[in-house]
Amino acid sequence: MDEELDGLEVTACERCPKLVDSRSQIVNGTGPEDADILFVGEGPGANEDEQGEPFVGRSGSVLDDTLLVVGLERGDVRITNCVRCRPPENRDPTKSELENCRGYLEAEIDRMEPDVIVTLGKVPSEHLLGRSVSVTSAAGTVEEIRVNGTSRRVVLSVHPAATLYDRSQEDTFREALETAADLAGVDGSSSNQRRLDTF
Ligand code: URA
C-alpha cells in the first residue's frame, strides 16, 4: 500500500512519480483541526519541503504579517496546499498531480468543516472552483463550492507572493483576509489580547 492517511496527515503516497522524486518529505497542513478558516496554497516550495510545513518562506512571512493586521495569527487558522509534495523547480503542479491530491484536500475540508476557505492564488482558486479565474480581479469575492455534497464558502485571494512583486497587491491581499475573518465571525480580539499579554 503506497497511500496512507492518518487523520489529516498523509503519511505515505507515491501517486505522482515526479513529485516523489523531487520531494524530500510530504508537507501536510498545519494549524488546528477545528479552525474556522482554512487557507489553501498551491504546493510546497523549497523552504516548505525542507521544513515540512506550508508557507514558511517569504510568502509565509507575508501571510503571517497580514494575518496579524486583520487580528489573527498563524495558530488561529489552518494552512494547507493543493499538492503536498514539492514540484521540481517550483513549477506549477500538473492537472493530474492536482487530481491525485484532491482527495486529501477534500478529506481535510470534510473533517475540519471550516466556515471559510481562502484560496491563495490562481492554482488553488481554479482547482477548487473548477474553472479559470483571474485572481487579481476576483480577489475578495466570495463563492460557494460543493465538496462531497456539502456547500462551502470560498474567499478568493491573490497569492501572498504577489505582494512581493507588486506592492499594490498588499491592500488586495489584506482585504481578502479581512473578508474571510468577517465571514468566519473572527474579531481577532483573543489573539490581540494574547499579543498584548506578552508586553
Ligand atoms: N506557496 C504555496 O502556494 N504554498 C506554500 O506552502 C508555500 C508557498
Side-chain angles (χ1 to χ4, degrees), residues 40 82-83 95 97-99 101-102 105 122-131 133:
V40 182
C82 294
V83 298
K95 285 242 160 3
E97 290 162 353
L98 286 164
E99 286 317 313
C101 221
R102 183 188 287 279
L105 177 59
K122 189 175 180 68
V123 168
S125 300
E126 295 191 338
H127 184 49
L128 284 180
L129 264 56
R131 60 173 166 78
V133 175

XYZ file of all heavy atoms in Angstrom, residues 40 82-83 95 97-99 101-102 105 122-131 133:
166
model
N -5.673 27.700 1.549
C -5.184 26.673 0.631
C -4.236 27.319 -0.384
O -4.640 28.179 -1.169
C -6.350 25.972 -0.112
C -5.808 24.868 -1.024
C -7.367 25.402 0.865
N -2.766 22.564 -2.228
C -3.438 21.660 -3.180
C -2.645 20.374 -3.373
O -3.221 19.307 -3.506
C -3.580 22.323 -4.544
S -4.653 23.729 -4.574
N -1.318 20.504 -3.476
C -0.474 19.301 -3.533
C 0.503 19.343 -2.371
O 0.908 20.419 -1.930
C 0.284 19.133 -4.882
C -0.682 18.979 -6.041
C 1.272 20.254 -5.134
N -2.229 19.025 -13.946
C -3.639 18.665 -13.679
C -3.724 17.315 -12.965
O -4.497 17.136 -12.026
C -4.419 18.593 -14.999
C -4.751 19.929 -15.613
C -6.277 20.106 -15.691
C -6.772 21.529 -15.838
N -5.827 22.605 -15.963
N -1.448 15.788 -11.168
C -0.935 15.874 -9.785
C -1.981 16.503 -8.872
O -2.203 16.039 -7.742
C 0.378 16.667 -9.769
C 1.534 15.896 -10.420
C 2.722 16.744 -10.817
O 2.652 17.990 -10.731
O 3.739 16.162 -11.260
N -2.634 17.551 -9.386
C -3.691 18.184 -8.579
C -4.816 17.185 -8.293
O -5.321 17.102 -7.164
C -4.258 19.403 -9.319
C -3.350 20.637 -9.340
C -3.814 21.628 -10.411
C -3.322 21.303 -7.976
N -5.190 16.425 -9.308
C -6.273 15.443 -9.108
C -5.844 14.332 -8.157
O -6.626 13.874 -7.333
C -6.734 14.870 -10.447
C -7.564 15.831 -11.272
C -8.618 16.604 -10.469
O -9.352 15.989 -9.676
O -8.689 17.832 -10.613
N -4.041 14.556 -5.665
C -4.005 15.048 -4.282
C -5.369 15.594 -3.830
O -5.527 15.949 -2.663
C -2.929 16.131 -4.173
S -1.930 16.076 -2.684
N -6.340 15.669 -4.751
C -7.622 16.299 -4.422
C -8.324 15.618 -3.238
O -8.883 16.264 -2.353
C -8.562 16.278 -5.639
C -9.875 16.984 -5.391
C -10.863 16.783 -6.525
N -10.539 17.531 -7.724
C -10.831 18.826 -7.904
N -11.444 19.506 -6.952
N -10.523 19.432 -9.026
N -7.113 16.827 0.123
C -7.607 18.167 0.442
C -9.085 18.103 0.825
O -9.522 18.720 1.806
C -7.386 19.090 -0.766
C -7.911 20.514 -0.654
C -7.282 21.250 0.526
C -7.649 21.285 -1.957
N -3.930 31.697 -8.032
C -4.681 31.200 -9.180
C -4.882 29.680 -9.126
O -5.994 29.187 -9.357
C -3.898 31.581 -10.453
C -4.643 31.332 -11.738
C -3.823 31.858 -12.909
C -4.534 31.643 -14.232
N -5.739 32.463 -14.387
N -3.813 28.956 -8.826
C -3.906 27.492 -8.897
C -4.976 26.950 -7.928
O -5.876 26.221 -8.352
C -2.518 26.835 -8.697
C -2.648 25.337 -8.473
C -1.623 27.116 -9.903
N -4.929 27.299 -6.637
C -5.972 26.769 -5.750
C -7.367 27.314 -6.072
O -8.368 26.606 -5.905
C -5.527 27.177 -4.340
C -4.457 28.181 -4.512
C -3.872 27.988 -5.867
N -7.437 28.550 -6.552
C -8.752 29.116 -6.887
C -9.373 28.321 -8.039
O -10.537 27.908 -7.979
C -8.627 30.589 -7.295
O -8.063 31.333 -6.227
N -8.581 28.073 -9.072
C -9.111 27.334 -10.234
C -9.370 25.870 -9.870
O -10.346 25.270 -10.329
C -8.138 27.440 -11.411
C -8.021 28.891 -11.888
C -7.294 29.049 -13.208
O -6.526 28.148 -13.583
O -7.518 30.096 -13.858
N -8.525 25.324 -9.026
C -8.675 23.912 -8.636
C -9.987 23.705 -7.867
O -10.740 22.777 -8.145
C -7.482 23.518 -7.765
C -7.424 22.091 -7.367
N -7.569 21.045 -8.256
C -7.229 21.497 -6.150
C -7.461 19.886 -7.608
N -7.263 20.144 -6.333
N -10.270 24.598 -6.933
C -11.473 24.397 -6.115
C -12.737 24.859 -6.828
O -13.807 24.290 -6.621
C -11.324 25.075 -4.753
C -10.425 24.311 -3.780
C -10.295 25.024 -2.443
C -10.938 22.887 -3.533
N -12.623 25.883 -7.668
C -13.827 26.359 -8.373
C -14.097 25.559 -9.643
O -15.224 25.565 -10.148
C -13.689 27.843 -8.721
C -14.345 28.807 -7.731
C -13.837 28.593 -6.323
C -14.114 30.245 -8.135
N -13.066 24.908 -10.176
C -13.253 24.105 -11.378
C -13.454 24.931 -12.630
O -14.110 24.508 -13.576
N -12.898 26.137 -12.645
C -12.969 26.971 -13.853
C -11.827 27.968 -13.825
O -11.157 28.118 -12.794
C -14.303 27.722 -13.917
C -14.576 28.640 -12.760
C -15.844 29.462 -13.015
N -16.330 30.110 -11.829
C -15.819 31.212 -11.297
N -14.787 31.807 -11.852
N -16.334 31.738 -10.195
N -9.908 31.423 -13.482
C -10.162 32.564 -12.594
C -9.038 33.575 -12.801
O -7.871 33.187 -12.862
C -10.130 32.094 -11.104
C -10.264 33.286 -10.164
C -11.194 31.052 -10.807
